[in-house]
Amino acid sequence: MTLDTVNDRGLVLLGCGKMGSAMLEGWLAQGVKPGAVWVIEPSPSDWLRGTGVHLNVDLPTAPAIVLLAVKPQMMGAALPQVVALGGGKTLFLSIAAGTTIASFEATFGAATPIIRAMPNTPAAVGRGISAICGNAKASESDLRLAEALLRAVGQVVRLEGEHQMDAVTAVSGSGPAYVFHLIEALAAAGEAEGLPAPLAMQLARATVTGAGELAHRAPEAAAQLRINVTSPGGTTAAALAVLMDAETGFPPLLRRAVKAAADRGRELGK
């Protein structure tokens, strides 16, 4: 299936908050017709009202795909609105963290093709990355359709199986928050060294976003980019001696943080 299939048969978006809106904006920019999109959203934004999509009206009987974009804690109340579309003709694509494929099969039926995806918030600027995996009923064409829709907001990777999803959630799903906290911490450290707070934040924010863009564009590995900045015995080397400490530096700290996020994902999936 392709985006032409979406235009022919329709797409249902259940939930249109920040992530859903980012994805919808990307789809429309890629040629999905507003008239081929049905959105269920109890609190629609002014932007959503102006897109021309079908908003909070009766759904088509057999759309190509239903994208589940509501928060996990709201899933129980939201799913009854689309449960009649289960059974095999419609692909269901979920971007809800911690909600397993098995739980969706229990709701929509084992014959329903289901794909689980984990995007992240840089999707809002077209720089996200999503990881996907499907159940036994999800065909290669289903996976390609999911990839086409998710590429509207960034990169897409396929997983070996759902067992990898909690680790993905901990690395890329939650990862933007780690980077934002790095900006906060770097700015606070600049303040501690005597910089005014606004200047420290400007320097930290530009440094992290600029380094991220360099990592995105450069052919070198991240380790080589780090080496390129580091003069032996210089200021960067002094800082890295602290940050790369095997017991108190970034490596053990991030291992603990990612493990905590992955463990929490596993708890939510039970």
Side-chain angles (χ1 to χ4, degrees), residues 4 17 35 53 57 66 68 73 81 83 107 119-120 128 146 151 156 182 193 195 202-203 214 219 232 248 265 268:
D4 289 337
V53 302
V57 297
V66 174
L68 307 172
Q73 60 268 30
Q81 299 173 89
V83 70
T107 299
N120 61 5
R151 280 198 198 100
V156 185
L182 171 62
E193 291 299 319
L195 294 176
Q202 183 180 359
L203 290 169
L214 179 58
T248 60
L268 290 172

Side-chain angles (χ1 to χ4, degrees), residues 62-174:
I65 186 168
V66 174
L67 192 137
L68 307 172
V70 297
K71 295 183 182 301
Q73 60 268 30
M74 299 170 61
M75 198 68 74
L79 289 186
Q81 299 173 89
V82 294
V83 70
L85 301 178
K89 293 183 179 180
T90 296
L91 169 65
F92 283 76
L93 172 61
S94 168
I95 61 171
T99 307
T100 64
I101 288 174
S103 69
F104 289 122
E105 288 179 332
T107 299
F108 299 118
T112 303
I114 298 167
I115 293 175
R116 183 178 170 191
M118 173 49 59
N120 61 5
T121 56
V125 293
R127 290 287 298 276
I129 187 165
S130 303
I132 65 172
C133 61
N135 68 350
K137 293 296 183 179
S139 66
E140 176 62 25
S141 64
D142 290 330
L143 290 164
R144 286 199 300 268
L145 177 58
E147 287 173 333
L149 290 169
L150 292 167
R151 280 198 198 100
V153 292
Q155 302 177 52
V156 185
V157 296
R158 292 192 192 186
L159 303 182
E160 294 176 1
E162 194 176 17
H163 64 282
Q164 295 179 320
M165 191 61 79
D166 292 314
V168 167
T169 301
V171 174
S172 59
S174 300

